[in-house]
Amino acid sequence: MDFTEVKSVVLLFLTVFSVPCPFRMAFSPNVANLTAWYFPDDDEIVQEKPARPHMTDKKVSQKQLADFGVLAAEVKQPKSWDEDTNLQEIRKNRGYQSHDTVDCSSLSDDTKVKFFTEHLHVDEEIRLITNGIGYFDIRDPEDKWIRIRIGTGALIILPPGIWHRFCVSEEDGCLKAVRLFTNEPKWTAYPRDGNSLEGIAFNCYS
């Protein structure tokens, strides 16, 4: 099952259950502290030192990210994020009812490896960075890697069914983030190993 097939399954699920479609909704195209670029073709270099930027001159705009279903918003006061009116509106419109927080400075090595292993979810992944800098790597529809640098005050929403991975930047290892959810947190990750994709359709409709 490739990216297009996974996306089609997720879109059908969203339509059947009347969920706002993240592939078609637009957020701000000018969020501070969020930039993106295409990776070098040799991913082995990135795998060796994932916390480095590995920047290229192949920039990706926030509008392009939105076309891939990746949405972004800016929270002016990340330390008091729950009082931010813009975020309150987003949470209301998208039904984000619960949250938790994570301090990446205390992550175990096993957890870091898990986060940087390519995977997808059947739910949106919503992260607000309240301190520090991190990298979300996503696959575009042609299966090429895009690195998204996200810093303090930036909110990112990854759509269901998109291949991605995450690591903390070497620029600032003390990353802290708020994770938002529609209901109870769902942590099921489907790694891109060719063995677990059959479960995606089952989970969407169960």
Side-chain angles (χ1 to χ4, degrees):
M1 186 178 291
D2 61 19
F3 177 91
T4 302
E5 292 171 324
V6 171
K7 184 174 176 180
S8 297
V9 170
V10 174
L11 283 172
L12 178 59
F13 166 73
L14 296 172
T15 301
V16 170
F17 292 97
S18 300
V19 178
C21 179
F23 295 113
R24 299 186 184 127
M25 296 180 70
F27 269 32
S28 171
N30 298 300
V31 173
N33 260 345
L34 193 151
T35 54
W37 56 88
Y38 276 98
F39 265 154
D41 292 333
D42 187 358
D43 190 50
E44 291 184 4
I45 298 175
V46 180
Q47 291 281 355
E48 291 175 2
K49 300 288 184 180
R52 293 182 178 177
H54 301 285
M55 189 176 293
T56 70
D57 58 1
K58 298 179 181 178
K59 305 300 182 184
V60 179
S61 70
Q62 291 181 27
K63 183 181 182 302
Q64 287 175 290
L65 292 178
D67 289 340
F68 301 148
V70 178
L71 308 180
E74 188 169 350
V75 175
K76 298 294 186 182
Q77 301 293 332
K79 300 298 182 183
S80 54
W81 61 270
D82 55 338
E83 300 175 3
D84 185 271
T85 55
N86 186 42
L87 182 54
Q88 288 176 353
E89 188 68 18
I90 292 172
R91 294 178 70 184
K92 177 182 177 181
N93 291 340
R94 300 181 74 84
Y96 301 150
Q97 300 177 17
S98 59
H99 73 276
D100 67 6
T101 59
V102 60
D103 184 345
C104 289
S105 63
S106 60
L107 294 179
S108 67
D109 289 341
D110 287 345
T111 300
K112 292 177 182 178
V113 170
K114 180 180 178 181
F115 282 177
F116 201 66
T117 299
E118 186 177 1
H119 62 279
L120 59 76
H121 307 286
V122 298
D123 302 288
E124 289 183 336
E125 183 165 335
I126 310 101
R127 300 291 182 267
L128 166 64
I129 307 302
T130 57
N131 184 78
I133 299 168
Y135 294 125
F136 277 100
D137 300 339
I138 66 165
R139 294 277 193 180
D140 76 358
E142 296 181 356
D143 218 33
K144 296 184 180 298
W145 277 118
I146 295 173
R147 168 149 285 191
I148 303 172
R149 180 188 183 276
I150 181 170
T152 303
L155 172 81
I156 191 169
I157 302 175
L158 301 185
I162 194 169
W163 295 111
H164 67 282
R165 61 192 183 190
F166 173 80
C167 71
V168 178
S169 169
E170 65 179 4
E171 298 175 64
D172 189 342
C174 298
L175 184 143
K176 297 180 181 179
V178 176
R179 303 184 288 196
L180 300 170
F181 312 95
T182 52
N183 292 299
E184 293 299 318
K186 296 179 181 178
W187 299 114
T188 304
Y190 296 88
R192 195 169 188 175
D193 58 10
N195 298 321
S196 58
L197 294 181
E198 293 301 321
I200 292 177
F202 174 82
N203 276 276
C204 280
Y205 292 99
S206 61

